Amino acid sequence: MSCPCTSAARLFLNTAHRGLSCSRIQLFSLSRRGSRETHLHPRVCVRSFSETAVCYAAKDGSTKDSGNDSGKKSVGDGKRMSGSGGSGKGGGQLRCPKCGDPCTHVETFVSSTRFVKCEKCHHFFVVLSETDSKKGLNKEPESAAEAVKLAFAQKPPPPPKKIYAYLDKYVVGQSYAKKVLAVAVYNHYKRIYNNIPAGSRQQVEVEKQPSLTPRELLQIAGISPHGNALGATMQQQASQQPPQEKRGGEVLDSTHSDIKLEKSNIILLGPTGSGKTLLAQTLARCLDVPFAICDCTTLTQAGYVGEDIESVIAKLLQDANYSVEKAQQGIVFLDEVDKIGSVPGIHQLRDVGGEGVQQGLLKLLEGTIVNVPEKNSRKLRGETVQVDTTNILFVASGAFNGLDRIISRRKNEKYLGFGTPSNMGKGRRAAAAADLANSSGETDAVAEIEEKDRLLKHVEARDLIEFGMIPEFVGRLPVVVPLHSLDEDTLVRILTEPRNAVVPQYQALFSMDKCELNVSQDALRAIARMALERKTGARGLRSIMEKLLLEPMFEVPHSDIVAVELDKEVVQGKSQPRYIRAPAKDAAEEEYDSGIEEENWPRQADAANN
């Protein structure tokens, strides 16, 4: 006859081996033949860890099993083991969920490692905090196939007409430039999708999971939830490898070759204030790929004071949230590219801010692997990431002042009654000086603008080379897009039509002070005519509006003025703006209303914005 305590111990051990699925167990007593129910705390869960060798260990001591979906049932505080239901010591120390012995950090070159090892059972664990585990489950995938899944599996790329319609809401005119940019962006989406390996593309089409599970997180980290604790098995590594490209004799024997689409970089050239930078800023808001706007005036050759050429890709990497795969599919806008034109006649060995920058940009435009400093690090430390620029689309823009003079000399034409000097020098400074010398105030501004636009339509690569760009740089920008100057009708539309027009901005400023601003159509045409004479494009409109509205903006706040009217006479300086005042009030009412206005001013500002 067996002892009752032996049966109780056998039952307890069997239950502990299977895992306690409920919070009540039966304990047998020696003195009484009945049984006594003992309630345990619901958090006490005991389960076997023999199925997997890799677990997550949280910083608070709790461990998370990654081999089963029931990993939420973790060992509480890292100290309640499978053999006992009580609590141990060392709440702040990590303990092995399999054997219960303390875990030690793995010694590496990095002082703060997140990997720990059990000295007794030789198992490795990943230490995750609560924030890391939440980020890990919802983090963005970092493989090239997953990055493309974000762009194509969720929604198709926008067609060129849709991009053109969006640009039309913010930029007036420049229809040819908007068509070129819309088509270029659409082809960029298609090129990214086409240049993915076939195996990765099939994986993208099959996978439809919204988020990553802990098992997938382990596989991304190189740790297998089954088998070897130090990493994935050789079979799993072989299954995860992308298809290899054909090399050597295989290329000679193959009959079918996939077409790899190459990029066509763009250069925009036009007068100042014609909307080149505004096109890029508007385009950046409607794209699903990273977009970086970089200024070429601060770039210098490697080793000199100023920004290195790699900073262009660093800005793109920052816009991609430091995801290299997403940054390799982005678009870079190089603004003021004409300022890096070479200036001949400078007696020095190197033109570090001009021709040297162009030479450094050559491989960047064509496609190479660039070493970019990591986040929060400097280049001198050697902490860099490699970014491939093969699929990055580059869009350059510049004013190129005097380029029309070079085209006119090439075509042997007279320029508005003035003969082209035969001793005209080369380079961007000589072209700008010739343009300034031959532009006369007596000449009609409209005729001069039409002549410039007509000449810019015939621009060729040799004209850019004579301006100061080296031939290798011009050859890597095959699409040349001239932007036309803004005429009077276009400037009038810019004042009122776009989403962020100039006149509605000032009307919103006046509405915060409970005042209306009314500008007549004749006044708008007079303002556009003045901006045309200043030859600064659309930027001249704001300068004129500021000068006209200085006196009204000084008089309106805390006054009885309810409306301000501008007409043609005011713009020409022949009269003052017309004020419409509210009917007079008593002193007590005026004092009461002024106090209410001071309190409700933030509400009025919000209402004006809406």
Side-chain angles (χ1 to χ4, degrees):
M1 183 176 179
S2 62
C3 181
C5 60
T6 306
S7 303
R10 186 181 297 110
L11 177 62
F12 187 83
L13 290 176
N14 291 336
T15 308
H17 181 72
R18 290 193 305 268
L20 298 179
S21 59
C22 62
S23 62
R24 296 197 300 175
I25 61 174
Q26 301 288 331
L27 295 182
F28 291 88
S29 174
L30 292 175
S31 60
R32 293 162 54 176
R33 302 186 62 85
S35 63
R36 180 174 61 190
E37 290 189 358
T38 302
H39 294 268
L40 295 182
H41 197 275
R43 291 178 59 189
V44 179
C45 304
V46 183
R47 58 168 302 174
S48 174
F49 287 91
S50 58
E51 296 179 3
T52 177
V54 177
C55 299
Y56 282 146
K59 286 185 177 180
D60 57 353
S62 62
T63 57
K64 298 181 181 179
D65 179 25
S66 61
N68 202 333
D69 293 337
S70 61
K72 297 179 181 178
K73 300 177 181 180
S74 60
V75 179
D77 300 331
K79 54 195 177 184
R80 297 181 182 176
M81 296 300 121
S82 59
S84 63
S87 61
K89 298 180 181 179
Q93 189 176 13
L94 294 173
R95 291 184 176 273
C96 176
K98 187 172 182 64
C99 64
D101 282 10
C103 297
T104 58
H105 286 278
V106 180
E107 294 183 0
T108 58
F109 291 105
V110 185
S111 59
S112 60
T113 179
R114 299 199 302 174
F115 293 93
V116 294
K117 177 184 178 183
C118 178
E119 296 294 342
K120 185 177 180 180
C121 55
H122 302 289
H123 283 78
F124 286 85
F125 304 97
V126 184
V127 182
L128 289 181
S129 63
E130 293 182 0
T131 55
D132 289 338
S133 60
K134 290 179 182 177
K135 290 179 182 178
L137 291 175
N138 299 321
K139 72 174 183 179
E140 296 181 358
E142 297 182 356
S143 63
E146 294 287 344
V148 177
K149 181 179 72 172
L150 292 176
F152 296 103
Q154 294 178 359
K155 57 182 179 180
K161 290 183 179 179
K162 192 173 182 180
I163 301 175
Y164 180 89
Y166 176 78
L167 293 175
D168 227 0
K169 297 177 183 177
Y170 293 90
V171 184
V172 175
Q174 312 296 353
S175 59
Y176 178 66
K178 286 189 282 191
K179 285 181 181 179
V180 170
L181 287 176
V183 172
V185 169
Y186 184 68
N187 289 339
H188 179 69
Y189 280 111
K190 294 193 292 185
R191 181 174 62 253
I192 291 172
Y193 184 72
N194 182 79
N195 292 346
I196 308 171
S200 300
R201 194 182 311 151
Q202 293 175 1
Q203 181 183 359
V204 168
E205 294 174 355
V206 171
E207 290 182 356
K208 294 294 181 181
Q209 295 182 0
S211 61
L212 297 177
T213 62
R215 184 188 299 269
E216 293 170 346
L217 280 176
L218 284 176
Q219 293 176 354
I220 289 176
I223 305 174
S224 172
H226 298 289
N228 191 3
L230 290 175
T233 58
M234 295 300 294
Q235 295 178 356
Q236 290 173 337
Q237 290 179 357
S239 63
Q240 292 176 2
Q241 287 180 354
Q244 297 283 339
E245 294 184 359
K246 295 181 179 180
R247 294 179 179 275
E250 296 180 357
V251 177
L252 297 175
D253 297 336
S254 63
T255 56
H256 176 70
S257 60
D258 295 332
I259 296 178
K260 188 173 183 180
L261 301 177
E262 295 184 355
K263 60 186 178 183
S264 299
N265 296 324
I266 304 170
I267 180 168
L268 307 174
L269 44 95
T272 176
S274 56
K276 300 183 294 295
T277 308
L278 182 62
L279 277 171
Q281 293 172 350
T282 309
L283 195 64
R285 294 196 292 265
C286 69
L287 294 182
D288 293 329
V289 294
F291 191 94
I293 300 177
C294 304
D295 192 6
C296 289
T297 57
T298 60
L299 298 179
T300 56
Q301 202 171 353
Y304 290 87
V305 176
E307 292 188 7
D308 290 338
I309 300 168
E310 289 82 5
S311 64
V312 172
I313 307 299
K315 291 181 181 178
L316 184 67
L317 194 63
Q318 182 181 1
D319 189 75
N321 200 14
Y322 294 93
S323 173
V324 178
E325 284 77 13
K326 291 178 67 176
Q328 290 177 165
Q329 302 164 357
I331 301 175
V332 174
F333 185 82
L334 300 173
D335 205 1
E336 307 293 347
V337 77
D338 58 321
K339 305 304 183 292
I340 60 173
S342 61
V343 181
I346 298 179
H347 301 289
Q348 64 180 15
L349 295 176
R350 292 193 176 190
D351 185 10
V352 297
E355 188 175 348
V357 180
Q358 296 184 50
Q359 293 170 354
L361 284 172
L362 292 180
K363 295 301 292 181
L364 200 70
L365 294 175
E366 190 174 9
T368 185
I369 296 178
V370 184
N371 292 322
V372 183
E374 285 185 351
K375 185 179 181 181
N376 300 328
S377 67
R378 298 187 65 183
K379 188 179 179 182
L380 299 178
R381 298 180 183 174
E383 300 171 355
T384 58
V385 294
Q386 292 186 339
V387 180
D388 189 5
T389 64
T390 305
N391 289 326
I392 297 178
L393 179 67
F394 289 90
V395 181
S397 80
F400 291 93
N401 292 324
L403 187 64
D404 52 330
R405 300 283 310 147
I406 297 174
I407 301 172
S408 172
R409 184 175 63 181
R410 174 172 59 84
K411 297 175 73 69
N412 294 323
E413 294 180 356
K414 282 188 120 183
Y415 186 75
L416 292 176
F418 291 89
T420 305
S422 58
N423 57 352
M424 176 181 172
K426 292 184 178 182
R428 60 184 176 92
R429 291 185 182 177
D435 182 40
L436 184 64
N438 287 276
S439 61
S440 173
E442 300 175 357
T443 311
D444 188 9
V446 178
E448 187 176 352
I449 285 175
E450 290 177 354
E451 185 73 13
K452 281 189 175 184
D453 291 344
R454 186 182 66 83
L455 288 171
L456 281 179
K457 289 181 180 178
H458 300 91
V459 64
E460 295 179 2
R462 50 182 170 176
D463 301 322
L464 295 174
I465 294 170
E466 191 173 350
F467 183 83
M469 317 304 287
I470 60 177
E472 302 93 326
F473 185 82
V474 177
R476 286 168 170 83
L477 299 167
V479 183
V480 181
V481 183
L483 276 77
H484 62 78
S485 302
L486 303 177
D487 55 2
E488 184 177 327
D489 295 334
T490 309
L491 289 173
V492 172
R493 293 176 58 196
I494 290 173
L495 282 169
T496 55
E497 287 187 13
R499 288 278 182 91
N500 201 25
V502 179
V503 172
Q505 289 183 30
Y506 286 101
Q507 288 176 344
L509 285 175
F510 278 94
S511 64
M512 294 181 187
D513 292 314
K514 292 185 177 180
C515 180
E516 293 183 1
L517 175 64
N518 299 320
V519 185
S520 63
Q521 192 68 23
D522 293 337
L524 293 176
R525 290 208 162 269
I527 293 172
R529 199 171 296 114
M530 289 179 63
L532 208 60
E533 295 172 357
R534 294 191 177 189
K535 299 180 182 179
T536 54
R539 292 189 179 96
L541 297 174
R542 181 170 289 275
S543 174
I544 297 170
M545 291 293 292
E546 283 286 342
K547 186 176 180 180
L548 288 176
L549 296 175
L550 174 63
E551 198 67 27
M553 286 191 290
F554 181 78
E555 297 288 343
V556 164
H558 291 278
S559 66
D560 57 348
I561 300 175
V562 295
V564 178
E565 294 184 355
L566 297 180
D567 54 7
K568 184 178 179 181
E569 302 291 331
V570 178
V571 176
Q572 295 176 351
K574 298 179 181 178
S575 64
Q576 293 295 324
R578 181 186 172 192
Y579 302 121
I580 300 177
R581 300 180 180 272
K585 295 182 180 180
D586 296 336
E589 294 180 358
E590 186 176 353
E591 184 178 355
Y592 176 74
D593 290 343
S594 64
I596 293 179
E597 286 180 2
E598 292 177 358
E599 293 177 359
N600 295 339
W601 191 87
R603 300 178 184 175
Q604 296 170 11
D606 295 339
N609 289 331
N610 295 332

